Amino acid sequence: MTDDTYETLAETEADTAGLMAGKHITVDELATELSAIELRLRQLARAVEVPATPVELVDIIKSLRSNASSLRETGDQMGFLARIVAGDVPLVTTFPNGAPWGVAARGTDRPDYGGPAIVPTVWQLLKLASDATRPGFGETTTYPEAMDGIGIGWESKAASVRRRRERDAAVAVEVLRLPCATCDATDGQQCKTKTGWAADNAHVGRQRQAEALVDERLGYLGENPVLVPDA
């Protein structure tokens, strides 16, 4: 694929407005969208049982139905998670090892996975809900109560990784636009060694200048985003 194709795909992927009624997608909306995709896959599998041309598509049909089943499982989990975040499902206040979560975990260390977590994962929430159904397990709370005040300016790890990738890609483009004071490389040229060999990595000064320009444009402080877009 060309750079223009990747750019077009990235722009299309970023067009998420049709998935949500508000500024951010809700878990309830996610569950509904997954349900719609799952149904569409099953419909496709049924439709291609008798295609317009004689082609045996049994493997494709099995794949479509398998993917639909996986989406059904995920959609059901998201539906239950929507009930959790709405406050309909009681949750225990600590993990099995006694570590807190949500607001109660602020300021605590997290030595291992499953320890204190300000923002819990879906699997942790499902576990907290399951434990709340066990008799005598302990005090319970609800998601809105436990997370009160958390979420402003927050983004998932997946979003952080993607934005870091986008930042690094922008730096790679910017560095070739700048002249290099060390080897006199000009616009569009890679840096060179003293003997004239082209190098994949730019000289430090050129790289540092490119990073500074991109970070200022994107709103980064060093390697960290200053603000989360649309938070």
Side-chain angles (χ1 to χ4, degrees):
M1 293 186 183
T2 64
D3 290 341
D4 289 341
T5 302
Y6 279 116
E7 186 174 342
T8 300
L9 289 173
E11 290 175 354
T12 302
E13 180 184 311
D15 184 13
T16 61
L19 299 176
M20 45 206 169
K23 190 175 182 180
H24 300 284
I25 192 168
T26 66
V27 180
D28 190 26
E29 287 171 328
L30 171 60
T32 303
E33 291 290 340
L34 288 172
S35 177
I37 296 169
E38 181 254 334
L39 175 58
R40 190 68 167 170
L41 288 176
R42 293 190 185 280
Q43 290 172 332
L44 280 172
R46 181 64 176 267
V48 298
E49 286 181 353
V50 186
T53 51
V55 181
E56 180 53 78
L57 298 173
V58 63
D59 291 337
I60 301 301
I61 293 169
K62 289 180 179 177
S63 177
L64 288 170
R65 287 176 174 157
S66 175
N67 289 332
S69 295
S70 295
L71 280 176
R72 166 62 69 88
E73 181 179 352
T74 302
D76 288 346
Q77 289 171 340
M78 292 305 98
F80 184 57
L81 183 63
R83 298 292 302 273
I84 290 176
V85 300
D88 296 343
V89 180
L91 308 168
V92 293
T93 57
T94 63
F95 295 118
N97 63 357
W101 62 279
V103 172
R106 278 180 167 161
T108 60
D109 294 328
R110 193 180 186 197
D112 51 36
Y113 188 80
I118 295 176
V119 178
T121 68
V122 57
W123 308 115
Q124 288 175 326
L125 286 172
L126 293 176
K127 172 64 174 172
L128 292 167
S130 175
D131 286 345
T133 64
R134 293 164 55 188
F137 193 87
E139 184 182 354
T140 63
T141 184
T142 64
Y143 181 87
E145 291 171 350
M147 297 293 287
D148 186 25
I150 294 176
I152 305 301
W154 179 85
E155 67 178 3
S156 71
K157 293 179 181 178
S160 298
V161 170
R162 173 183 54 76
R163 296 212 298 133
R164 173 64 187 181
R165 237 182 0 249
E166 292 171 352
R167 181 258 189 189
D168 290 345
V171 170
V173 172
E174 188 69 31
V175 78
L176 290 177
R177 293 175 178 167
L178 301 172
C180 180
T182 302
C183 66
D184 297 325
T186 58
D187 186 0
Q189 292 183 334
Q190 293 175 279
C191 284
K192 298 179 178 63
T193 66
K194 288 185 178 181
T195 54
W197 287 65
D200 280 340
N201 294 333
H203 284 103
V204 172
R206 192 186 195 191
Q207 180 73 23
R208 185 186 297 120
Q209 184 181 1
E211 290 175 353
L213 288 171
V214 169
D215 288 346
E216 182 179 4
R217 185 166 70 240
L218 297 182
Y220 271 68
L221 181 61
E223 297 183 354
N224 302 308
V226 176
L227 296 174
V228 176
D230 301 323

